[in-house]
Amino acid sequence: MYESTRGNLSGQRASQAITLGMVPSGGLFVPSTVPTLNWQDLQGLTYRDVAMRVLTPYLPDFSEAVLSKIVNVYADGTFDGPNPVPLVSVGNFGVLELWHGPTAAFKDMALQVLPDLLKVSLKLFNRDEDVLILVATSGDTGKAALEGFKNREGMHIVVFYPEGGVSPVQERQMTTTEGANTHVVAVNGNFDECQTAVKRIFASKALKEQLQEKDLIFSSANSINWGRLLPQIVYYFWAYLQAVEQGKVTPGGKMNVVVPTGNFGNLQAAYYAKRMGLPIGRIICASNKNNVLVDFFATGVYQSQRDFFQTISPSMDILISSNFERFLYEMSGRNGDQIQIWYDANNQGTFTVDPVTLKQCQDTVYAGWADEEETLETISRSYKTYQYVFDPHTAVAMKVYEDYLSATNDQTFTVIASTASPFKFASNVLIGLEGKKQESWGDEWKALDYLSQVTGWKIPIGLQGLDKKPAKPADTSEPEGIMELLQKMFT
Ligand SMILES: *Cc1c(COP(=O)(O)O)cnc(C)c1O
């Protein structure tokens, strides 16, 4: 069963949690008990079968046959290569490449199964309405969600992205999506403003009723939806199995993970994997210059009212880290009343936790951050040392890992979650590698070819020929105008 992080709802089935996306009266769905799973029992299985084992205890209302079909996406060629999520040995650590899906970012890991999870959930929840998916994106979720949901019967998707806040490749990926049921909107604001506007829409009774008349209900493909977070737990088990197989970790020995973090979904998935019994040691949270979480872990004060920085790792440019609420729920001893107080709208994203909760947080997660200069320097230095090319998000993680090593000298085998292909951010990667300005290789599209030339790495299929594909220009809106725009589109 699932319950709310704010103590205002409990006893909900998985299908209800996935259909609703978030708790209607505020809060996020979390499993009431975290199942345990013995990693030894997964040895020798394929990724698809590991996914089946991890997902099953969380989805008791899904039949085995249905679930088995859903996880097939990990075995049917949707993910490149013989191993959908390779653990690559770099130096004496591992890089878990989560970007071999259709859009070259880790969001595919979940968004290739979410539409099916949602479709089945609707049926199990006895809803026969069409569903309207609203997505706020800092860049990568948008395209991955569009790919997952395009041309799905009974589903419509609208993606909102911050105008000027995503990379040219990310923008082009979104506006070139085919599918009659897809809409893309550029919002005049930053990602937090986008996300807050979308959350307001979810909370709007009036719009909900107007849509209900058209037989439409809302859901979310953001990582606030449990169906988004759940599939991400799988790859931490997969990383461990590979680390054991490669002889990097003795069976049962600990493995650390470093997660480049924005909305805290990926990190929260690592936390659940640990809770399920996977021998994870330290979970290391890596932020960019928007280091609200690093300050929190140092002081216990979550202060989201601060300057927002647009960085070269745009998918981490987030100050209101949604899934952190799930983390705090666990760290506070599942104290829903307390979470309700901290997340009260009047606090506007600023609160201070008690010393006991803070200690619990600090014992579970180490947090660090890297600025842009350090990120570029890390891309260049890592390439020279290891001939491995990090995208700017993963480079932030790499730098924080190095800082962690010098601070602790912890020699535990460590896996860096690599969240995007470097080609998704080719210009900035080249600025790191070559130390030159963009003009020396031309526009963003030439940058992809040039990066391929310089490194000998192949451009992922999903990013090839993007500049030649026909694009459907995005609608534009002020954050306050989103409601009206949706009314125009759907009522
Ligand atoms: C979404 C994203 C992140 C942040 O992940 P969260 O789950 O939101 O913390 C990091 N890197 C890339 C490339 C992303 O697309």
Side-chain angles (χ1 to χ4, degrees), residues 104-107 138-141 170 223 228 232 235 259-268 293 313-316 318 321 323 391 393-394 417-421 424-425:
F106 88 101
K107 304 294 197 296
S138 54
D140 291 331
T141 299
Q170 289 176 317
S223 54
R228 239 313 275 288
Q232 297 182 221
Y235 51 70
V259 187
T261 301
N263 244 338
F264 217 77
N266 201 0
L267 197 143
Q268 186 65 9
L293 288 165
S313 45
S315 300
M316 297 158 69
I318 294 174
S321 184
N323 281 291
D391 95 283
H393 304 76
T394 314
S418 175
T419 48
S421 155
K424 231 178 152 165
F425 305 94

Side-chain angles (χ1 to χ4, degrees), residues 218-295:
F218 282 133
S219 192
S220 167
N222 279 113
S223 54
I224 53 171
N225 192 322
W226 177 250
R228 239 313 275 288
L229 214 152
L230 175 58
Q232 297 182 221
I233 301 173
V234 179
Y235 51 70
Y236 288 104
F237 278 90
W238 186 246
Y240 190 80
L241 292 164
Q242 291 181 89
V244 170
E245 201 179 287
Q246 295 170 9
K248 306 285 183 191
V249 169
T250 52
K254 291 252 194 297
M255 166 186 96
N256 291 343
V257 296
V258 190
V259 187
T261 301
N263 244 338
F264 217 77
N266 201 0
L267 197 143
Q268 186 65 9
Y271 170 76
Y272 281 123
K274 182 173 177 168
R275 281 282 301 276
M276 291 178 78
L278 191 67
I280 292 179
R282 281 305 245 176
I283 301 178
I284 298 158
C285 172
S287 297
N288 65 20
K289 202 173 172 187
N290 294 292
N291 55 4
V292 59
L293 288 165
V294 182
D295 288 348

Side-chain angles (χ1 to χ4, degrees), residues 30-46:
V30 285
S32 301
T33 51
V34 178
T36 55
L37 190 64
N38 201 339
W39 69 267
Q40 284 102 329
D41 296 344
L42 308 175
Q43 283 179 295
L45 298 185
T46 61

